Amino acid sequence: MRCVVSRLPCGRRWKTSMGRMQLRRMEFEEKAYPRLATHEPKRLPRRGRRGGWMQDPQMDVPKYDGTNSAQRQWFEVRKASIDEEFVSKLQADTANIQEILDQHLEAMDRVKVATPPADSFRLPHIQRLAKTPKVNPVHEAHRGTSPPVHAPLQPEMPEFLETSRLQRRTNRRGRFIGHREDRVQNDGPTTGPEVRGNRKASWLSDSDSDEEATTQAATTQGAPRLSMLDRRRQRKAAAVQEEEASDSETELMPPNPEEAMEPLRQSELAELWSSYGASWVEHNRCVVPSNFADPQEFAGSTLDAYAHTRAAASLFDISFKVCLQITGADREFVADQFLTCNLRAMRSGDVQYACVLDSKALILDDAFVFLEDNAVNVLTSGCHSRQLIDYLGQYVVYVRRSGADVTLSFHSGEWAALALQGPQSREALIEGLRHLDSHQLVNLSTTEEVPLDASVLREMPYMSAVAVKAKTGASPDRVTVLCTGMTGEDGFELIGSPRSLMKLAESLLSLESSLVKPGGLFCLDILRMEAGLPRVGADIPVGLYTPIRAALSWTLDQSKMRSHLMFGWQKLFFQLAKGPKFRRVGLLLDGPAHAGCRVMSNPHRQPMGVVCSSTWSPRLQCRVAQAYVKPEYAKANKHVLITVPYNLPMHKMRVKAIKRHVRSGPLRSAYRRLVAGVVAPLPFVAHSYPEPERQRKAAARLRNFEGTKHFSRATQMPPGGYPRAVQRPQSRSTGEELQEGYEHAAGAENG
């Protein structure tokens, strides 16, 4: 082919190359713009063939004129005048309504036809801008009339930046690795090789000027060279003086400046917890109790609360959670797209644990979803709640513009939540409600109110919801009771106003024999870790992991994925088929470790994962952790090594050594400790949730079937015949079981 082209004349050779270039350009346009409206393929589909592109005879050249604000304003003014004239005619003459309406429609059609194009508004404006004389500040003729040329004014820096800079300088060394810049900055002015030539001194702060740097460099150049011991003493004295000055400055400053996006919230039950000697901690931008001091006990208060929760019941403040409410006729269709559970398979009174996904199937938060009569409630963990509400709010606005009837709201005012967890939580809740005024149950599906029956709460199925409402009072408060939790124990989560929950908490904590005691967030986190459940923000980074990578694929409803109703269904199917690159597993450790430590294979010490959270397990008497490891290592009883880095002794290290250790990161061979560990299946401690009656019956059938499975056809037939496959009873939702409880309570009232 090359020889044929070379023999062609110059003109034909040029035309051949231009043809090839044009062909390449056409191929590029077809790949880059496959759905261009004006692009017609060369080959039309055959007659009778399904699919493909069919030429539309009504297709016209696309108009790129568009509209602008001036054109819309011109049309709106005339439309408003026509509407006013129409209203005035209707008020004057009510007999000829049809004639007046026809005139109104004709006038609107004439205005639409007479509307000038957008260019008639745009071109005069462009011409007017082009004819406007421009001032040239460089030309001599405009020096006196033109305004002086100045740089734009820089905006003032907010106050919290200086505060945060001082706090970072106070805590200048990180947990594992110090920073060279902070060390030189805080060691004070030194002499000798720290300042060379015209280079600015590195210990000067950001507010120091160049003149101070040059004067300091000039004084240090003429000073005599000190010994290494004298320089160390001088740096140590300067560091002590700087720490004293920074401590005096930080005493007058607020500890944590409020963030504009997510302001710090205070628990509405703070007065109650303060009376019990609570210590406070910030969690998900909300201040909640961390533990409660008990001077009569010798052990730690967190371990006491843990033991009491496993034995009786404890009351935790979970006001850091945020409850979203989705209402409207299309609420289930819209919420099904970003929730992993199937709302159409739920009934009012059902509760499901689900993940909130974004458009790329990445987890934004986890939540308990429960249905009411006219709303879908999503109780999220509260991690980055403002960003979550902003993301879902923008999607709801987009859906509303498409014509869907849906509204998103959340409890922004006074709102509180409690968690009553423990094996005796049902008896404690019944006794606590009896101490208060007479209450009644509210059916979430029909909003029917029946008297409070203890049997309904005692036999309440797990993962179900009811509402409790006081009979007395001008404005009776309503408390939603969710039979669920994140501790692995039986319990409830209570949602309502602070006033009603304050009364209920006081009633629960005042029960005889100390059936209920307050518990802090540290105890709640230990129980969650032993239950093998993740925490968004620690075990699951927001917007980075899918449910399959986070070992939450059991929350996915594949019927929605097959119907393409869930966000990121393509990516989820791909990961289900191929598998993620990392998996969340549990680890039993032989020593201390923390989040951020790397997981290595044993004995080859190849990096294969990272620890995301860890805690001490009182039940197992060892340290447990959750980590992300490669799939080939995510097997039970797989031995691994955890590398725990130490702080670098930067006061006696050279710059080259510091850089070398920083480059190696947490996998450095020096200044670290190796801790042995083994991969364990989740959960670490078996859950003790109440088993529904239908599951107990099915399990009983399966256990009886195991004893008669060893027989052959040659032997005698059993008296009951050959064992048949156990038929699973038709599954019933928790809402149906609660409905039976309501009917029983209503029948008792009528009887």
Side-chain angles (χ1 to χ4, degrees):
M1 185 66 184
R2 184 179 303 173
C3 299
V4 174
V5 172
S6 61
R7 293 177 182 177
L8 294 175
C10 182
R12 291 189 61 186
R13 191 186 307 170
W14 175 79
K15 290 182 180 180
T16 305
S17 61
M18 288 298 295
R20 292 177 181 175
M21 188 65 67
Q22 187 176 3
L23 182 61
R24 292 180 181 177
R25 186 182 297 108
M26 292 174 60
E27 292 177 355
F28 170 76
E29 289 178 357
E30 291 178 359
K31 292 181 180 179
Y33 310 102
R35 298 177 179 85
L36 192 60
T38 57
H39 182 266
E40 297 183 5
K42 294 181 179 180
R43 295 181 181 179
L44 294 178
R46 296 179 181 178
R47 183 176 300 178
R49 182 180 177 184
R50 294 184 179 182
W53 187 91
M54 295 298 295
Q55 186 176 7
D56 189 3
Q58 298 181 355
M59 181 179 297
D60 197 359
V61 180
K63 298 181 180 179
Y64 298 103
D65 183 27
T67 60
N68 56 13
S69 58
Q71 186 186 26
R72 289 194 300 268
Q73 184 178 3
W74 184 92
F75 180 75
E76 292 295 337
V77 170
R78 281 149 183 80
K79 179 182 176 182
S81 62
I82 294 175
D83 292 340
E84 292 177 359
E85 184 180 358
F86 173 68
V87 173
S88 62
K89 288 183 180 180
L90 283 179
Q91 294 176 355
D93 186 8
T94 58
N96 302 325
I97 298 178
Q98 185 64 34
E99 184 179 356
I100 296 174
L101 181 60
D102 294 339
Q103 295 176 1
H104 172 69
L105 296 178
E106 291 177 1
M108 290 296 297
D109 293 338
R110 288 196 299 269
V111 170
K112 291 181 180 179
V113 173
T115 302
D119 285 338
S120 62
F121 296 94
R122 188 183 301 110
L123 294 179
H125 179 65
I126 296 175
Q127 294 176 359
R128 186 166 54 256
L129 292 178
K131 293 180 180 179
T132 303
K134 302 299 186 298
V135 179
N136 188 1
V138 183
H139 200 271
E140 297 180 358
H142 298 279
R143 285 183 180 178
T145 58
S146 61
V149 180
H150 294 291
L153 297 177
Q154 296 183 357
E156 297 182 358
M157 303 302 293
E159 299 179 356
F160 64 84
L161 287 182
E162 183 66 20
T163 306
S164 62
R165 189 183 66 81
L166 292 174
Q167 289 179 354
R168 289 197 303 271
R169 190 171 63 181
T170 303
N171 305 323
R172 57 186 177 276
R173 290 176 184 172
R175 179 179 292 179
F176 315 123
I177 304 174
H179 299 281
R180 172 66 180 172
E181 299 177 358
D182 297 336
R183 183 182 73 86
V184 177
Q185 181 178 357
N186 290 282
D187 285 344
T190 58
T191 57
E194 294 292 341
V195 180
R196 298 180 183 273
N198 297 328
R199 188 174 60 182
K200 185 187 298 187
S202 59
W203 62 79
L204 296 175
S205 61
D206 297 338
S207 59
D208 295 334
S209 60
D210 296 340
E211 297 179 359
E212 295 176 354
T214 53
T215 53
Q216 186 70 29
T219 54
T220 52
Q221 286 179 0
R225 185 178 181 85
L226 300 178
S227 62
M228 183 179 297
L229 182 60
D230 294 339
R231 289 200 300 271
R232 286 183 181 177
R233 291 175 179 175
Q234 195 174 12
R235 288 197 299 268
K236 188 175 181 180
V240 171
Q241 294 178 1
E242 187 176 357
E243 288 181 0
E244 293 177 355
S246 61
D247 292 340
S248 61
E249 291 178 358
T250 52
E251 288 178 358
L252 304 176
M253 298 176 184
N256 289 320
E258 291 190 357
E259 204 172 327
M261 188 64 185
E262 294 189 25
L264 193 66
R265 296 182 290 119
Q266 184 74 23
S267 175
E268 299 292 342
L269 308 178
E271 297 181 0
L272 175 64
W273 306 127
S274 299
S275 61
Y276 286 89
S279 300
W280 304 92
V281 67
E282 176 190 345
H283 180 67
N284 291 346
R285 301 299 298 168
C286 182
V287 179
V288 292
S290 59
N291 54 6
F292 293 86
D294 192 357
Q296 299 179 359
E297 301 290 342
F298 294 99
S301 58
T302 300
L303 297 180
D304 292 342
Y306 172 86
H308 192 269
T309 306
R310 293 294 190 189
S314 296
L315 192 64
F316 303 94
D317 190 351
I318 56 173
S319 297
F320 51 83
K321 292 193 173 184
V322 176
C323 186
L324 307 179
Q325 193 173 39
I326 306 170
T327 57
D330 302 323
R331 59 187 181 278
E332 294 184 0
F333 173 75
V334 175
D336 263 333
Q337 299 179 17
F338 54 81
L339 294 176
T340 56
C341 63
N342 192 356
L343 297 179
R344 298 179 181 269
M346 297 174 59
R347 295 192 179 185
S348 297
D350 293 350
V351 181
Q352 285 197 21
Y353 177 75
C355 299
V356 184
L357 305 180
D358 64 355
S359 58
K360 297 182 179 180
L362 301 176
I363 298 177
L364 296 177
D365 206 343
D366 63 342
F368 286 108
V369 183
F370 59 99
L371 302 183
E372 291 187 6
D373 184 19
N374 295 319
V376 176
N377 297 298
V378 184
L379 183 62
T380 63
S381 67
C383 183
H384 299 297
S385 58
R386 296 296 180 184
Q387 285 84 343
L388 175 65
I389 294 171
D390 187 20
Y391 184 86
L392 297 181
Q394 290 183 7
Y395 178 67
V396 168
V397 170
Y398 167 75
V399 173
R400 285 174 62 90
R401 290 176 179 175
S402 302
D405 181 14
V406 62
T407 304
L408 176 67
S409 60
F410 68 101
H411 299 277
S412 58
E414 295 184 355
W415 185 82
L418 295 175
L420 181 63
Q421 301 292 317
Q424 301 183 14
S425 57
R426 295 177 182 265
E427 289 74 9
L429 182 60
I430 294 172
E431 293 295 329
L433 291 175
R434 284 177 181 174
H435 281 68
L436 297 176
D437 299 335
S438 57
H439 282 66
Q440 54 189 1
L441 290 177
V442 180
N443 193 344
L444 295 181
S445 59
T446 61
T447 65
E448 180 185 358
E449 299 179 0
V450 298
L452 178 61
D453 191 0
S455 61
V456 176
L457 293 178
R458 187 176 291 110
E459 298 177 2
M460 185 176 177
Y462 197 73
M463 301 299 287
S464 60
V466 296
V468 179
K469 185 178 179 182
K471 287 185 179 179
T472 59
S475 59
D477 295 330
R478 173 175 164 177
V479 177
T480 304
V481 181
L482 306 179
C483 186
T484 182
M486 299 287 290
T487 60
E489 294 285 346
D490 186 18
F492 301 91
E493 290 192 358
L494 313 173
I495 306 171
S497 63
R499 179 179 58 182
S500 58
L501 290 183
M502 179 76 74
K503 296 180 182 179
L504 183 57
E506 292 175 354
S507 176
L508 290 172
L509 295 175
S510 62
L511 295 178
E512 298 179 358
S513 67
S514 299
L515 183 60
V516 179
K517 288 185 178 181
L521 185 66
F522 295 162
C523 174
L524 188 65
D525 195 65
I526 292 176
L527 294 168
R528 176 200 60 82
M529 179 67 76
E530 287 186 347
L533 299 174
R535 179 164 67 90
V536 177
D539 304 315
I540 304 177
V542 177
L544 292 179
Y545 293 169
T546 61
I548 300 174
R549 179 171 181 175
L552 294 176
S553 56
W554 55 273
T555 63
L556 297 173
D557 185 78
Q558 293 197 16
S559 62
K560 292 198 308 180
M561 295 167 57
R562 295 190 190 99
S563 303
H564 304 174
L565 296 178
M566 187 188 300
F567 280 167
W569 59 270
Q570 293 177 327
K571 187 174 183 179
L572 294 175
F573 271 134
F574 179 78
Q575 285 195 357
L576 283 174
K578 187 178 180 180
K581 296 181 179 179
F582 291 88
R583 293 185 182 272
R584 183 174 60 89
V585 297
L587 297 177
L588 299 178
L589 305 180
D590 195 19
H594 40 73
C597 296
R598 297 300 178 89
V599 183
M600 299 188 300
S601 60
N602 189 7
H604 303 288
R605 299 186 183 182
Q606 295 296 323
M608 36 78 75
V610 62
V611 177
C612 53
S613 63
S614 67
T615 187
W616 171 261
S617 174
R619 176 70 65 88
L620 302 178
Q621 290 297 312
C622 68
R623 198 166 187 87
V624 297
Q626 295 186 22
Y628 285 93
V629 299
K630 294 181 179 180
E632 55 267 23
Y633 295 94
K635 301 177 183 178
N637 302 326
K638 195 77 172 179
H639 292 272
V640 296
L641 293 174
I642 314 297
T643 170
V644 184
Y646 289 161
N647 289 333
L648 296 178
M650 301 180 61
H651 60 280
K652 61 178 183 180
M653 295 181 67
R654 295 181 178 273
V655 180
K656 292 184 178 179
I658 294 173
K659 290 182 178 179
R660 177 169 53 84
H661 288 300
V662 169
R663 280 196 302 268
S664 59
L667 293 174
R668 56 175 180 260
S669 58
Y671 301 105
R672 74 171 182 181
R673 176 184 177 183
L674 294 178
V675 176
V678 62
V679 177
L682 296 175
F684 297 106
V685 178
H687 298 171
S688 59
Y689 300 139
E691 190 176 15
E693 184 179 359
R694 63 176 185 272
Q695 292 185 6
R696 290 197 298 267
K697 292 181 179 179
R701 293 193 188 95
L702 291 175
R703 293 189 188 100
N704 295 335
F705 174 70
E706 289 178 359
T708 61
K709 65 180 180 180
H710 299 290
F711 68 94
S712 62
R713 292 184 178 272
T715 59
Q716 186 179 1
M717 182 181 296
Y722 289 113
R724 294 179 300 175
V726 179
Q727 296 182 0
R728 181 180 178 184
Q730 186 177 3
S731 61
R732 301 170 60 194
S733 64
T734 54
E736 294 178 354
E737 297 184 8
L738 285 177
Q739 187 71 25
E740 294 181 0
Y742 295 133
E743 294 175 357
H744 172 72
E749 180 185 6
N750 297 331

